Amino acid sequence: MKRREFVGLTGLATGALFLPSIPGLASSPVDPARLLEAVDPAIKKRLADAALNAAKSAGASYADVRIGRYLNQSIFTREKQVQNIASGESYGAGIRVIANGTWGFAATNTVTEAGMAKAAQLAVQIAKANAKVQKDQVKLAPQKGYGEVSWKTPIEKNSFEVPVKEKVDLLLAANAKALDNGASFVNSALFQINEQKYFASTDGSYIDQDIHRIWPTLGVTAIDRTTGKFRTREGLSAPMGLGYEYLTPKAADRINGPAGTGLVGYRNSYDMLEDAALAAKQAKEKLTAKSVVPGKYDLVLDPNHLGLTIHESIGHATELDRVLGYEANYAGTSFATLEWKAKNAPYGSKLVNIVADKTQPGSLGAVGYDDEGVKTGQWDIIKEGKLVDYQKTRDQAHIVNQDHSDGCSYSQSWQDVQFQRMANISLQPGKEKLSVDEMISKVDKGIYIAGRGSFSIDQQRYNSQFGGTVFYAIEKGKIAGMLEDVAYQTNTVEFWNSCAAICDQSDYRLFGSFFDGKGQPSQVSAVSHGSSTTRFNGVNVINTARKIG
Amino acid sequence: MAILSQDEAQAILKKVLSFSTADECEVTLNGETGGNVRSARNSISTSGAVDNVSLVVESRFGKRSGVATCNEFDDATLRRCVQRAEEIARLAPESPEYMPLLGPQQYSAAPQAFAKSTAGITPDYRAQQVGASMKICDEKKLSSAAFLNDEAGFVAKRNSKGLEAYQQLTNLEFSITVRTPDGTGSGYATADYNDSSKFDAAALTRTAADKAAMSRNAKALEPGKYTVILEPAALVANSDASLLQALMGALDARNADEGRSFLSKKGGGNKKGEKLFDERVTIYSDPTMPEVATLTFSGDGRPQKKTTWIEKGVVKNLYTSRFWAQKAGIPDLPRPSGWVMEGGTQSLQDMIKGTAKGILVTRLWYIRPVDPQTLLYTGLTRDGTFYIENGKIKHPVKNFRFNESPIIMLNNLEAIGKPVRVGGNLVPPLKIRDFTFTSLSDAV
């Protein structure tokens, strides 16, 4: 199944799952024991040097090598049974070179000195072929070699070391909770990713990294057989850059939602059983919820919902390659051009502070070094409503007169070329003490939205439409019952300029996108977006109900 | 090693099966070789090549199943791979939806699925094609971003029940977006083929360039319901979800029977056999059709045969897993990997000529589901949206966001044009009345 079909699915609850053709899901399945075997860095260094030397001998002025072992384990269940357990491994090497001022790339799964050398020579051959029709020579920001260094996601419990049975039991227990609370159907899944990446370059870096990600997720469907109506409620977990400890609930990580909703938010640990039970109750409640009256509303957006809006309308809009036109043939360009930035027009209200961060603990985007050997950090994207910077790689830095990369290079696997991918992009919490209930108490006519729903944005990141998982009417400062058929349509700049209040740090949580697509051939990456509950005034809400006869 | 012949592949698979001690064992080889070039701002941005072969072993003891893989082919590795699959199978829970492996099957031939021309593509060929495309845009003072991807591959399968399958495939895909330097115009063209000898990057580039030039300085129209002509690339996308793929993706029997599909009936059952679309809507799949030849067997080894899914507006068949087919007592049909929507003989130009007032849509983008109950989707027009009046394109218009269901859309059919290949499918341009645009976009 192709990724575009996967992203087109209406969620876990809409039917049987297929394994999409993306790394971590469609690589070759292996047994769990294999997943704990690591390759000795000394061997990888020898192989990498074979490739670097071959590339230089063939005429490359620069070369980098990524030897990657990409591991995954995905478990899918529905109701009382396991649908699929896929343990996967993909091992190989990707070699990127500059020859005659042009990029070339080749990948191989023959990870021997001879195989590496052959792939390096092919990469140079490709670069030289392309150089004949190339106009602009590649300019790389200087990068010092780090020598032999390493970095590992700071996890407490490697999910690959947890017996499969334990994971299956948890998912089936969550399903049982949903069924006990009135679900007609329930799907649950656990995605686990481990990237064992070794990077080496002609700059003199040899970087060994061990990166872990996890995503427990569920979807509950409630059906009214007499009317034929069905409604779903997705889980409120977030994919995280954590180990299996994320699935051990801790009271300190539990954040109560607004009074009158029963909702619970989760920070660095997730109570799947609690969420499954509530999901079933809410899916049933959605069957009889009031259909929204279209119009202007003040929106109060939960972090588990707002993260996706941040992702689409700020995260992607401030990627420099997109701004410059490198993504024009796929996801498009951006309204936030260099010329637009120069006008110093407000991207958002003065409350809006957006930070890019490749180091944030627990986040999906946290790494020590990016996929072109740049040490990661954090930087401002929007400060008090004004766009101040973009996200960049080594070959883009010079375009904005910067002498270093931001460390935004990433490839989904050994066999794909690395390119600019999104850092964690997060809305900073409010500086004044403000709880969600206090925020809602000041809203006269509004809607509270939690969870991920439908999302769509145009090719320059102006016009977007977002749904959600659950919606509650706010009337005269109080939650006034569940709503259905809600979606809001916005223009990015108008939306962020309507930002009127942001809850404080105590409400701050990460939302995540586990399969963010970009590039041709399309690649996925994983990225987090932090925020606290935030209010936006006067947003256009439409009713999505239709009749099909 | 990426493209093994049938004899080479089956020799490896026979050897792997000889190592099996399981009740049932199925082994599959997948190989792929290919390359790509990506350009932006009339310059090459990235390019690459890939070469990979992998073996998947599925072993079964009773209703327990285990899977392992390797990508090295010496005897010791192959033997270890089989042993691992068997170890996992012994530890796995019993599957309540277990189905025994298939025995020998008859598969149709689809010789056009593989073309030597495509399998023989070199880095120089890719650079020449993309170079020719960029040259046109340089001459016209337009900015292009394009993607050329080609691949040759094979799938070989064998099992302990006597099933044996092998097929080679090739594919080339090209898409291009051309923009005017002032950023006020954008045009798009795309095509894909099994046989690269049909490919002409320059011709596609000219189409996109003409649309970019035509779409400058678009005027705003009020959102609302309009008659639209949706070009094939607006109905099926190479790189995104699409309205017709969404419809085809919803023809799943189990979802319909379980009550969570637009095909579910009140009180139970599904709507197979009911007329849900305009009577001119007929959609079928045929993996042997030369224009869209593809794999003639599914992932689980079932033959992919010519199957009618919608006939004259009536839902004729739903696809299903083998388990659900047996449980529900329905035909055992795998999900198709490509399909054909029957069309007429009208060209796009004929359809424009026959339109008093309407909007021509080159492409739709960022299409996502809004409500699975009604199959409502949202998305936007992109890269060439034009107002038609009295049979002529009058002027470009600003892009719209739509909220529309393919079910409603295919009931509001005004005309069907001649199908062309998009994303491995044959898709006609469609003229639709009362297509729902809900807001305007400033995006170009």
Side-chain angles (χ1 to χ4, degrees), chain A residues 115-428:
Chain A
M116 300 287 282
K118 189 178 166 191
Q121 287 154 0
L122 177 58
V124 173
Q125 184 195 346
I126 288 168
K128 287 180 175 176
N130 292 340
K132 293 171 191 165
V133 294
Q134 183 76 331
K135 286 182 276 302
D136 303 323
Q137 299 242 315
V138 176
K139 282 186 206 164
L140 285 187
Q143 180 58 52
K144 70 167 187 178
Y146 293 106
E148 293 185 48
V149 292
S150 64
W151 188 89
K152 183 177 179 178
T153 306
I155 56 171
E156 292 172 26
K157 197 173 188 180
N158 184 345
S159 63
F160 290 96
E161 294 175 5
V162 175
V164 170
K165 186 180 182 307
E166 188 177 323
K167 301 168 194 173
V168 166
D169 288 349
L170 174 66
L171 295 182
L172 293 179
N175 293 358
K177 282 281 183 189
L179 294 168
D180 290 348
N181 283 278
S184 306
F185 298 102
V186 54
N187 294 81
S188 59
L190 179 63
F191 300 98
Q192 304 141 88
I193 303 282
N194 175 211
E195 297 180 352
Q196 297 170 14
K197 302 199 290 193
Y198 189 85
F199 173 90
S201 76
T202 49
D203 292 325
S205 287
Y206 295 91
I207 301 165
D208 198 28
Q209 295 195 92
D210 184 17
I211 293 149
H212 290 258
R213 297 194 284 268
I214 192 164
W215 186 23
T217 182
L218 59 92
V220 172
T221 303
I223 297 176
D224 181 340
R225 292 278 181 192
T226 54
T227 62
K229 194 171 179 181
F230 65 93
R231 285 291 178 261
T232 62
R233 198 283 221 171
E234 306 297 323
L236 295 176
S237 63
M240 300 290 286
L242 292 170
Y244 201 71
E245 66 273 12
Y246 183 56
L247 284 156
T248 303
K250 298 182 186 74
D253 290 326
R254 199 176 174 280
I255 300 169
N256 284 323
T261 65
L263 283 163
V264 178
Y266 303 97
R267 191 177 281 117
N268 290 318
S269 64
Y270 173 54
D271 190 335
M272 199 167 191
L273 304 187
E274 177 184 56
D275 194 26
L278 183 60
K281 290 173 190 164
Q282 291 187 321
K284 279 176 69 183
E285 196 180 347
K286 285 172 85 168
L287 290 169
T288 53
K290 200 170 116 187
S291 193
V292 72
V293 176
K296 299 274 187 188
Y297 291 86
D298 293 349
L299 299 184
V300 177
L301 303 181
D302 174 83
N304 200 293
H305 168 88
L306 183 58
L308 189 51
T309 309
I310 294 168
H311 174 90
E312 297 290 3
S313 63
I314 298 176
H316 279 311
T318 58
E319 293 176 303
L320 189 60
D321 60 347
R322 198 178 295 267
V323 166
L324 297 170
Y326 287 94
E327 287 290 316
N329 188 48
Y330 184 36
T333 57
S334 172
F335 74 89
T337 59
L338 303 179
E339 295 78 12
W340 189 89
K341 180 172 174 282
K343 289 178 190 167
N344 214 24
Y347 202 115
S349 72
K350 285 195 180 304
L351 296 174
V352 177
N353 290 287
I354 298 283
V355 170
D357 191 344
K358 295 276 293 179
T359 65
Q360 194 168 3
S363 70
L364 293 167
V367 290
Y369 304 84
D370 78 349
D371 278 356
E372 53 183 7
V374 176
K375 199 169 171 53
T376 54
Q378 63 166 232
W379 66 104
D380 291 327
I381 297 289
I382 295 173
K383 211 164 180 179
E384 294 184 346
K386 296 286 175 67
L387 177 65
V388 294
D389 207 347
Y390 298 99
Q391 306 162 65
K392 300 168 286 296
T393 52
R394 284 183 71 186
D395 58 357
Q396 297 168 344
H398 69 95
I399 296 166
V400 288
N401 301 314
Q402 192 168 298
D403 62 0
H404 63 279
S405 164
D406 296 328
C408 289
S409 182
Y410 176 78
S411 169
Q412 67 177 6
S413 80
W414 57 268
Q415 62 183 337
D416 295 284
V417 70
Q418 61 269 55
F419 70 120
Q420 194 263 303
R421 297 311 305 262
M422 200 187 297
N424 299 310
I425 298 288
S426 299
L427 175 67
Q428 301 309 286

Side-chain angles (χ1 to χ4, degrees), chain B residues 167-389:
Chain B
Q167 195 175 341
Q168 292 186 342
L169 295 160
T170 50
N171 189 62
L172 179 146
E173 174 193 327
F174 179 77
S175 59
I176 181 161
T177 301
V178 178
R179 295 174 65 79
T180 58
D182 61 1
T184 68
S186 184
Y188 178 76
T190 185
D192 57 279
Y193 316 89
N194 296 107
D195 181 356
S196 65
S197 65
K198 297 176 183 173
F199 170 52
D200 181 354
L204 290 160
T205 302
R206 287 188 194 97
T207 300
D210 290 348
K211 285 212 165 175
M214 280 169 62
S215 66
R216 289 183 64 183
N217 303 316
K219 296 176 183 175
L221 290 185
E222 282 298 310
K225 290 188 182 287
Y226 285 90
T227 294
V228 294
I229 297 174
L230 300 172
E231 291 194 25
L235 291 160
V236 171
N238 263 324
S239 55
D240 192 23
S242 62
L243 288 171
L244 287 187
Q245 287 288 27
L247 174 65
M248 293 305 293
L251 300 182
D252 178 84
R254 187 170 188 170
N255 282 349
D257 291 343
E258 288 180 338
R260 41 179 166 172
S261 158
F262 85 94
L263 290 164
S264 304
K265 265 186 172 169
K266 283 181 193 175
N270 68 52
K271 294 180 180 174
K272 183 179 160 183
E274 291 187 21
K275 184 173 178 298
L276 299 182
F277 310 101
D278 183 286
E279 63 189 16
R280 288 167 291 177
V281 176
T282 294
I283 299 175
Y284 64 92
S285 57
D286 181 359
T288 68
M289 194 171 187
E291 298 94 323
V292 287
T294 186
L295 266 185
T296 59
F297 51 91
S298 64
D300 60 5
R302 283 181 284 173
Q304 290 277 17
K305 295 175 179 167
K306 183 173 181 180
T307 306
T308 301
W309 303 99
I310 298 168
E311 187 172 57
K312 295 181 178 174
V314 176
V315 178
K316 294 294 284 187
N317 280 298
L318 303 176
Y319 56 80
T320 176
S321 66
R322 290 175 60 214
F323 165 77
W324 195 254
Q326 184 185 67
K327 184 181 164 81
I330 56 176
D332 180 0
L333 298 171
R335 181 177 176 147
S337 53
W339 45 268
V340 176
M341 182 170 180
E342 284 188 354
T345 55
Q346 281 191 83
S347 68
L348 189 66
Q349 290 310 315
D350 293 337
M351 293 171 85
I352 293 167
K353 273 182 199 163
T355 303
K357 276 187 182 176
I359 292 170
L360 174 66
V361 178
T362 298
R363 183 184 182 192
L364 296 175
W365 171 249
Y366 220 125
I367 298 169
R368 291 293 180 273
V370 176
D371 184 358
Q373 182 94 50
T374 57
L375 222 58
L376 184 74
Y377 278 71
T378 189
L380 300 113
T381 65
R382 179 179 168 182
D383 300 326
T385 311
F386 304 97
Y387 180 64
I388 303 165
E389 195 172 83

Side-chain angles (χ1 to χ4, degrees), chain B residues 6-20 25-29 55 75 78 82 156-160 162-164:
Chain B
Q6 183 163 0
D7 288 347
E8 288 169 330
Q10 291 296 348
I12 292 172
L13 296 179
K14 276 181 196 170
K15 184 191 285 184
V16 176
L17 283 177
S18 75
F19 298 145
S20 170
C25 184
E26 184 161 280
V27 288
T28 308
L29 272 174
L55 171 74
D75 284 10
L78 295 175
V82 172
K157 187 180 276 289
R158 195 174 186 92
N159 74 25
S160 53
L163 180 142
E164 185 180 334

